Amino acid sequence: MAELVFFSGTMDCGKSTLALQMDHNHTARGRQGVILTRNDRAGAATISSRLGLRAEAVEVTDDFDFHAHVVHRLSAGGRVDYLICDEAQFFAAEQVDQLARVVDELDIDVYTFGITTDFRTRLFPGSQRLIELADRVEVLQVEALCWCGARATHNARTVGGVMVVEGAQVVIGDISVSEDEVGYEVLCRRHHRRRLTAATARASVLSPDVLPFEDQQV
Ligand SMILES: Nc1ncnc2c1ncn2[C@@H]1O[C@H](COP(=O)(O)OP(=O)(O)O)[C@@H](O)[C@H]1O
Ligand SMILES: Cc1cn([C@H]2C[C@H](O)[C@@H](COP(=O)(O)O)O2)c(=O)[nH]c1=O
């Protein structure tokens, strides 16, 4: 029986790498799939991983209908055994419902990949609907780490290394960006709550006005 699976985690935990690996493994066994994504950092109609892998993909737009897209391919004589859907947090809730229809009515496996929460720790609409509808939610095994060494569970948005809490939900970006750019950093919940990024933690340790690092409740 086909299934709808949501592989989730923080930014930089290997989701796109896993998506490309899964596509490779299925293709190697003669299965035919379609890769789809929305707003990849590398540009439109592309899926990219920080390990250097990338592939062409179908770009999902606001008015894209997953069910209609697959039916169209099948009607044109194509074969579709599975869908790989990256950056699924950016999909609309209705689009996730369409993915569930693809699984249930067309018996096609749908593997989705995305971050669950935004820089304010709120669920993205696509992720929320996937958690509600998926047959399985899988948390990636490769753990991204907070600067303190604990497992990173949350995504912070930064400007010049300082965490910000105001702004649009969607701002395409990356970790490790230059000082003046909007970027992201993964943190444990404790440090996300305290808005303590690697840069601000370093600055507070270096400041003569604060207690030594180990004496602080960080
Ligand atoms: N130079 C490197 N050497 C080994 N692994 C790396 C390197 N750069 C990135 N990675 C791995 O790639 C992961 C990020 O993969 P990616 O698929 O881009 O993540 P995501 O899609 O979840 O944001 C990192 O967590 C790390 O494990
Ligand atoms: C937390 C957060 C992230 N984003 C964007 C930033 C990136 O373009 C993607 C995540 O990509 P990754 O492959 O998982 O690294 O999401 C955003 O728009 N808003 C946010 O709050």
Side-chain angles (χ1 to χ4, degrees):
M1 205 159 60
E3 48 176 7
L4 174 63
V5 188
F6 182 32
F7 294 93
S8 72
T10 59
M11 288 180 69
D12 197 33
C13 71
K15 301 179 300 298
S16 303
T17 306
L18 179 64
L20 287 161
Q21 285 176 315
M22 284 186 68
D23 181 59
H24 176 84
N25 290 352
H26 284 269
T27 305
R29 292 297 181 203
R31 298 188 85 211
Q32 288 181 23
V34 184
I35 304 178
L36 307 104
T37 189
R38 179 165 188 162
N39 293 337
D40 190 286
R41 285 180 307 277
T46 304
I47 174 172
S48 68
S49 97
R50 293 181 182 83
L51 274 174
L53 295 170
R54 70 167 63 195
E56 273 182 30
V58 175
E59 183 73 16
V60 176
T61 52
D62 283 347
D63 56 359
F64 187 86
D65 184 325
F66 284 92
H67 189 265
H69 181 85
V70 175
V71 167
H72 179 74
R73 280 182 181 254
L74 296 173
S75 314
R79 190 176 133 198
V80 181
D81 297 318
Y82 62 92
L83 302 184
I84 298 272
C85 303
D86 201 21
E87 307 291 352
Q89 70 274 6
F90 296 142
F91 298 170
E94 304 76 58
Q95 290 175 320
V96 175
D97 282 76
Q98 293 159 12
L99 289 174
R101 278 186 71 201
V102 169
V103 175
D104 296 343
E105 295 174 17
L106 304 176
D107 202 28
I108 290 171
D109 287 313
V110 176
Y111 306 117
T112 64
F113 303 80
I115 54 177
T116 44
T117 53
D118 67 13
F119 69 113
R120 289 197 189 105
T121 73
R122 302 296 178 196
L123 288 169
F124 281 94
S127 311
Q128 179 182 338
R129 197 67 186 132
L130 277 163
I131 290 165
E132 289 163 351
L133 287 186
D135 294 295
R136 280 190 290 135
V137 177
E138 299 270 350
V139 178
L140 264 74
Q141 281 186 353
V142 178
E143 298 181 354
L145 300 179
C146 179
W147 58 266
C148 69
R151 180 177 191 156
T153 47
H154 292 79
N155 307 295
R157 182 177 291 164
T158 58
V159 178
V162 177
M163 183 168 153
V164 295
V165 291
E166 298 292 330
Q169 184 178 52
V170 177
V171 175
I172 308 311
D174 204 349
I175 52 164
S176 316
V177 292
S178 64
E179 278 285 289
D180 50 343
E181 270 182 289
V182 173
Y184 291 93
E185 180 175 336
V186 292
L187 297 174
C188 64
R189 186 191 59 243
R190 198 169 174 222
H191 289 137
H192 195 282
R193 285 184 53 242
R194 290 166 198 226
R195 301 188 193 174
L196 213 48
T197 61
T200 47
R202 209 166 34 239
S204 66
V205 169
L206 294 176
S207 164
D209 301 331
V210 294
L211 292 168
F213 185 65
E214 57 273 17
D215 294 340
Q216 295 175 63
Q217 291 295 300
V218 293

